[in-house]
Amino acid sequence: MNIGVIGGSGFIGSHVVDKLVESGHKVTVFDITAPHRNDVLHKKIDITNLESTLQALEGNYDAIYLLAAMADVNDCYKNPISTVEVNVLGVANVLESCVKNDINRFIFASTVWVYGLSDETNVDEKSSLNITNREHIYTASKVSGETLIQSYQELYNQDFTILRYGIPYGPRARGGTVLPIFIRLASQGKPLTIQGDGLAHRKFIYVEDLAEGNVAALSDNARNQVINLEGPRNITVKEVAETVKEIFEDPVEIVYVDARPGDYAGKVVSNLKGKNDISWVPKTDFAEGARLYYNWFKKNLK
């Protein structure tokens, strides 16, 4: 297939590109920065500009992945307007460009953070989202994007797949997520800071497992479906800190501070639909994945 990956030079996107190439697809990376490999095409794109997006996506693509987003929740908190421009207007521009360029499938990187709007504790893809529940601007932008996607399918027959990611980690991770932050702090001999009581949980997902789920989503079974790409088990932020503490030989201090506004407390998110519909199962346990990331960190960032 001829596939475009918007945000293909980023942390998750670069791994998705790797798996797509390994699966035999022709890949174009749309990103401001060059991709990490030289056997794919590279084009620049500004998804906040419709004309730029329309022109960039000319080329008879079978599917477009949209992974580019403002995804650091702290950046989103500080820059709500930019968050909406990228995460909402950007989605609309890519959807419109897919329609105008007759692109068969639009695959969207969403997040399990949207379940913060659910009144349920145990959630799956059919769980209702209650927009009267107060949530983070990042969550609001992703729910808005998902709503636009559903509308474009209903009104303009634009087929889609929405993938709700768990919290990703692994090689090439940006510095703003919890494991890279803790690894960096520990390497500098600084304490690991936990916001809140540390009992908020996520099913952290190793990035290569996540990338494999993205490729599996090309299946016709995933057409016009929402699928959770969630990790194998619940991990508390406290366990993340304790895992990092075990990785390092030198003593690592853990300290607790007040929780940040609008943080995602965590739900019990089912990943059974991914197994049943696209034969995808996450394989990497957190302790193993954390060590794999640490080994990469030592070679590339330390």
Side-chain angles (χ1 to χ4, degrees):
M1 297 175 68
N2 185 17
I3 297 174
V5 183
I6 301 174
S9 297
F11 165 41
I12 299 172
S14 65
H15 287 277
V16 171
V17 168
D18 285 343
K19 298 299 183 184
L20 287 169
V21 172
E22 290 171 14
S23 298
H25 299 290
K26 178 183 177 181
V27 178
T28 300
V29 171
F30 295 93
D31 211 306
I32 296 172
T33 59
H36 71 291
R37 55 191 303 155
N38 57 16
D39 58 348
V40 296
L41 297 175
H42 175 225
K43 296 182 180 180
K44 294 185 178 180
I45 192 172
D46 176 7
I47 62 171
T48 66
N49 182 284
L50 177 58
E51 190 61 33
S52 167
T53 308
L54 280 167
Q55 292 178 2
L57 296 189
E58 294 176 350
N60 298 314
Y61 294 99
D62 299 299
I64 292 292
Y65 287 81
L66 178 54
L67 281 73
M70 285 193 60
D72 186 310
V73 294
N74 292 314
D75 287 345
C76 292
Y77 177 70
K78 296 174 184 175
N79 303 284
I81 302 303
S82 295
T83 301
V84 172
E85 288 175 344
V86 175
N87 293 3
V88 182
L89 177 60
V91 173
N93 285 338
V94 176
L95 282 166
E96 182 69 8
S97 299
C98 286
V99 171
K100 294 292 176 62
N101 287 309
D102 296 318
I103 296 170
N104 185 259
R105 182 90 71 85
F106 174 81
I107 300 177
F108 180 62
S110 189
T111 174
V112 296
W113 275 59
V114 302
Y115 292 117
L117 292 172
S118 176
D119 294 324
E120 305 168 29
T121 300
N122 295 277
V123 293
D124 61 21
E125 293 85 351
K126 294 182 179 179
S127 297
S128 298
L129 304 180
N130 182 358
I131 63 171
T132 65
N133 289 334
R134 297 178 181 178
E135 256 297 333
H136 203 284
I137 187 69
Y138 172 64
T139 305
S141 72
K142 284 298 187 179
V143 172
S144 297
E146 289 194 14
T147 304
L148 283 169
I149 291 164
Q150 299 278 2
S151 297
Y152 261 77
Q153 203 286 321
E154 178 68 22
L155 298 174
Y156 311 110
N157 298 313
Q158 175 60 55
D159 287 347
F160 70 87
T161 302
I162 293 171
L163 302 175
R164 291 175 177 165
Y165 294 172
I167 309 301
Y169 70 99
R172 307 177 201 151
R174 59 186 171 80
T177 53
V178 62
L179 180 64
I181 289 173
F182 283 176
I183 291 286
R184 186 178 69 253
L185 289 171
S187 70
Q188 296 170 350
K190 297 178 180 178
L192 312 185
T193 301
I194 294 177
Q195 296 172 322
D197 59 12
L199 299 182
H201 55 81
R202 294 99 161 113
K203 287 181 179 176
F204 289 87
I205 180 167
Y206 189 63
V207 68
E208 291 194 12
D209 291 343
L210 182 59
E212 289 177 356
N214 275 262
V215 177
L218 290 169
S219 165
D220 281 339
N221 290 339
R223 190 179 298 273
N224 299 327
Q225 297 294 314
V226 179
I227 298 176
N228 297 328
L229 296 184
E230 183 64 297
R233 65 183 180 90
N234 284 321
I235 308 290
T236 65
V237 178
K238 182 179 180 181
E239 182 177 346
V240 177
E242 294 291 348
T243 300
V244 172
K245 188 174 182 178
E246 290 178 5
I247 289 174
F248 282 81
E249 295 180 0
D250 296 330
V252 176
E253 181 185 4
I254 301 173
V255 297
Y256 293 82
V257 298
D258 292 339
R260 61 187 174 190
D263 204 359
Y264 170 56
K267 301 279 185 176
V268 180
V269 181
S270 171
N271 59 15
L272 288 178
K273 186 175 181 180
K275 178 180 180 181
N276 294 333
D277 288 10
I278 58 175
S279 301
W280 173 82
V281 177
K283 298 174 291 187
T284 308
D285 186 70
F286 182 75
E288 176 190 357
R291 289 188 178 276
L292 289 170
Y293 172 72
Y294 176 59
N295 291 337
W296 177 86
F297 173 87
K298 287 191 296 182
K299 293 179 180 179
N300 294 274
L301 297 181
K302 191 170 182 180

